[in-house]
Amino acid sequence: ILQKIAAALKGMRGKGNDGPLTLAAAGAFESALTAADLSGLEEGDMNVIEELLDLMTAVVLEKVDDAASRDDDTLRKWKKSCARALGAAIATGLHKSEDLPNSGERLESLSQSLLPKVLAASVCSSKPHLERYDWMVLAGACANGSPNVSEQIVTSLLSST
């Protein structure tokens, strides 16, 4: 299923067709990270997850002209979908590594490398009227993760100010 999600996301994104299929695929990826049994993931599946996380990180953390982002409802929906999926990935990777003997270490490593990027973006000043997708990632990670995940994120935020 991960390959089908990746095909939808990589085939649609950036070609002027960021419609319902792309948004549905991002939602399916989020669901796969939070609800599916990830213990049987193979190396190829982990490669797909890593590719999708890289793609979504670029979407969420890229700087977009605020005038353009206000006018493009589809872009906002796409960024929100990516932010939710990234939050789910962080929560899953930081929480379930002990439950995922084969792929847990790699998923945890991906989460550990993603978290500092999102934290750094979240403490940068931004215009207050813009939606903060980096904050959405952190909120999603806290909402989907264990209390330990929330504690790690809040502690990192407090130490960075």
Side-chain angles (χ1 to χ4, degrees):
I1 193 163
L2 287 172
Q3 280 75 15
K4 290 183 182 198
I5 292 170
L9 289 174
K10 291 191 273 184
M12 303 291 281
R13 188 67 205 135
K15 295 186 178 173
N17 189 4
D18 303 323
L21 179 61
T22 308
L23 298 175
F29 181 56
E30 175 191 3
S31 295
L33 290 171
T34 57
D37 178 13
L38 303 177
S39 61
L41 290 179
E42 297 176 3
E43 185 70 21
D45 295 326
M46 288 306 302
N47 292 340
V48 169
I49 289 174
E50 186 171 3
E51 288 175 23
L52 292 178
L53 292 177
D54 288 344
L55 177 134
M56 292 180 166
T57 300
V59 168
V60 168
L61 299 183
E62 75 180 348
K63 302 296 181 206
V64 175
D65 177 28
D66 62 315
S69 66
R70 268 185 266 140
D71 294 336
D72 192 347
D73 187 50
T74 303
L75 179 62
R76 284 196 305 274
K77 287 178 182 176
W78 169 238
K79 285 182 167 255
K80 283 181 184 180
S81 294
C82 289
R84 286 192 305 266
L86 291 173
I90 290 172
T92 302
L94 297 182
H95 174 66
K96 293 187 177 177
S97 62
E98 64 275 0
D99 299 334
L100 304 172
N102 297 332
S103 56
E105 289 179 17
R106 183 152 176 211
L107 193 55
E108 181 179 19
S109 175
L110 291 172
S111 298
Q112 290 286 1
S113 68
L114 176 60
L115 185 58
K117 295 174 193 174
V118 177
L119 287 168
S122 72
V123 296
C124 292
S125 62
S126 178
K127 296 179 182 177
H129 63 279
L130 292 179
E131 291 184 88
R132 294 295 305 262
Y133 301 101
D134 47 3
W135 292 356
M136 289 180 197
V137 172
L138 297 175
C142 289
N144 288 314
S146 67
N148 186 40
V149 172
S150 298
E151 182 179 332
Q152 183 177 350
I153 290 170
V154 170
T155 302
S156 295
L157 286 170
L158 289 173
S159 67
S160 64
T161 58

